[in-house]
């Protein structure tokens, strides 16, 4: 088999490893540490987002790039001589439906190393990851997972669904078991040593420093891939190799990182798997949330005379999934923005308008456009027009509210606001993603 020509995004050495990984999906790959050379580090630096948050050292990407070649040469020398040390990550919190989610921010240099390691691990694991896994993989995304769910249910491949939620997934990974899993594919201990430094890192939360013994940092460039490797062994392979041969009907897994559902054709199969699922996860240090993990019937509604939504709903990837009638009277799968996610988006934009009401109107408009377009790009899917339109109307009202409070001398009447929107229009809500293909 011939090896493709090297590109700007992949070296010839890495292409050869990718070629071998495809030819031998069950084999172990040697000599991987040598792939983390200066060109690999340079490619990794280029993939870091401009304006990325700074770590504990306070060094930005722009500052690191001012002496890029010297910095990369020094970093490579420390990697080669095993003197590289991963700095502590900086803990920050982002809003979640209920409370806040902790994430970690690595230094730019550590991000460079993580991104270079991820590049190698991706070419090794892409040939073995299953098609049912959609999260954090090249050329795949959440909308692909939702399309697969749509096809599975409309084709009546599943009448029963297991909806599962793993409690604190990334904080609960067993690092020893993760390393054992990696050794099934990676035969280079020097490379594994570098990978092991990323989850084995201290955390600086304000002025408080800690060193967690389990898990891998949310926010790390490498964590999503390591999380995929872990669940590939815990769930994907287990379902395919051990569970499927014992079933009497069809089964389908749809997984995006640690968010997944399992569809079953037969109730007895679904109940048998549901009975052992928690025990399977406990063997690997993971816990299924007892209130968010459930088995329910979600069959295609056969009674075409009925109207309205079907009786059951479930949540996946920020959407609420339910049966609904189309305009032509056919049953279709509805996917609408979760109410909690809708409220969070509305509150976030309202708070931004309040805090930045004294900025120039042009600057406010530019940011509101970015926020709405970002929301539309994900949530403006087939059948979800009402929810995105509701958010658009909310932003229109809330922007007027805070513009009206900028000055007591010049009133922002609705008539004047309508003229302003002609100059600074908010992006119209339109469906951008077709999930029914």
């Amino acid at each position: 088999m011939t090896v493709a020509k090297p590109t700007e995004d992949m070296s010839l050495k890495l292409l050869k490893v990718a070629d071998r990984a495809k030819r031998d999906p069950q084999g172990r790959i040697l000599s991987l540490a040598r792939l983390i050379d200066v060109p690999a580090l340079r490619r990794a630096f280029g993939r870091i987002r401009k304006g990325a948050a700074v770590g504990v050292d306070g060094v930005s990407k722009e500052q690191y790039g001012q002496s890029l070649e010297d910095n990369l040469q020094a970093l490579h020398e420390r990697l080669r001589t095993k003197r590289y040390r991963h700095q502590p990550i900086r803990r920050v919190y982002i809003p979640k439906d209920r409370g806040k989610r902790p994430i970690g921010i690595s230094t730019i240099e550590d991000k460079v190393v993580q991104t270079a390691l991820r590049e190698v691990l991706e070419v090794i694991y892409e040939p073995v990851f299953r098609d049912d896994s959609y999260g954090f993989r090249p050329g795949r995304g959440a909308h692909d997972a939702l399309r697969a769910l749509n096809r599975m249910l409309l084709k009546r491949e599943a009448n029963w669904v297991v909806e599962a939620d793993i409690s604190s997934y990334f904080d609960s990974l067993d690092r020893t078991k993760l390393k054992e899993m990696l050794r099934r594919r990676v035969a280079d201990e020097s490379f594994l040593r570098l990978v092991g430094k990323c989850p084995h890192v201290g955390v600086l939360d304000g002025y408080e420093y800690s060193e967690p013994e389990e898990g891998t940092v949310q926010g790390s460039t490498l964590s999503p891939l390591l999380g995929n490797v872990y669940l590939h062994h815990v769930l994907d392979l287990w379902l395919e190799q051990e569970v499927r041969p014992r079933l009497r009907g069809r089964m389908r897994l749809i997984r995006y990182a640690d968010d997944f559902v399992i569809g079953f054709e037969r109730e007895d199969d679904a109940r048998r798997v549901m009975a052992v699922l928690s025990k399977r996860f406990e063997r690997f240090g993971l816990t299924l949330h007892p209130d968010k993990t459930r088995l329910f019937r979600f069959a295609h509604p056969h009674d075409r005379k009925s109207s309205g939504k079907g009786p059951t709903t479930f949540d996946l990837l920020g959407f609420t999934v339910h049966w609904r009638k189309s305009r032509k009277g056919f049953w279709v799968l509805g996917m609408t923005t979760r109410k909690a996610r809708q409220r969070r988006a509305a509150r976030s934009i309202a708070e931004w308008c309040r805090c930045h009401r004294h900025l120039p109107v042009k600057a406010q408009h530019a940011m509101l456009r970015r926020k709405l377009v970002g929301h539309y790009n994900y949530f403006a899917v087939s059948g979800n027009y009402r929810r995105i339109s509701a958010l658009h109307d909310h932003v229109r009202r809330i922007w007027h509210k805070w513009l009206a409070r900028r000055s007591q001398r010049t009133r922002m009447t609705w008539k004047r606001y309508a003229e302003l929107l002609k100059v600074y229009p908010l992006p119209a809500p339109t469906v951008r993603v077709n999930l029914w293909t």
Side-chain angles (χ1 to χ4, degrees), residues 319-356:
F319 291 89
T320 295
V321 182
H322 56 88
W323 290 109
R324 69 177 183 84
K325 284 287 189 70
S326 70
R327 291 180 180 178
K328 295 183 179 181
F330 298 106
W331 283 105
V332 296
L333 201 65
M335 296 187 189
T336 55
T337 312
R338 285 184 61 196
K339 290 182 179 179
R341 184 67 67 91
Q342 183 90 353
R343 287 194 298 268
R344 191 173 79 191
R347 283 197 301 264
S348 173
I349 292 177
E351 182 65 13
W352 189 91
C353 288
R354 184 186 71 83
C355 295
H356 298 86

Side-chain angles (χ1 to χ4, degrees), residues 122-164:
E122 274 184 354
V123 302
I124 293 173
Y125 276 98
E126 272 305 304
V128 300
F129 280 157
R130 302 199 57 78
D131 290 340
D132 298 328
S133 169
Y134 293 90
F136 304 104
R137 294 180 59 187
R140 289 169 168 248
H143 292 145
D144 297 309
L146 294 171
R147 288 189 187 98
L149 176 71
N150 184 65
R151 289 192 297 269
M152 176 184 76
L153 294 171
L154 285 180
K155 290 180 180 179
R156 304 183 186 181
E157 296 175 358
N159 299 311
W160 292 82
V161 172
V162 170
E163 177 190 18

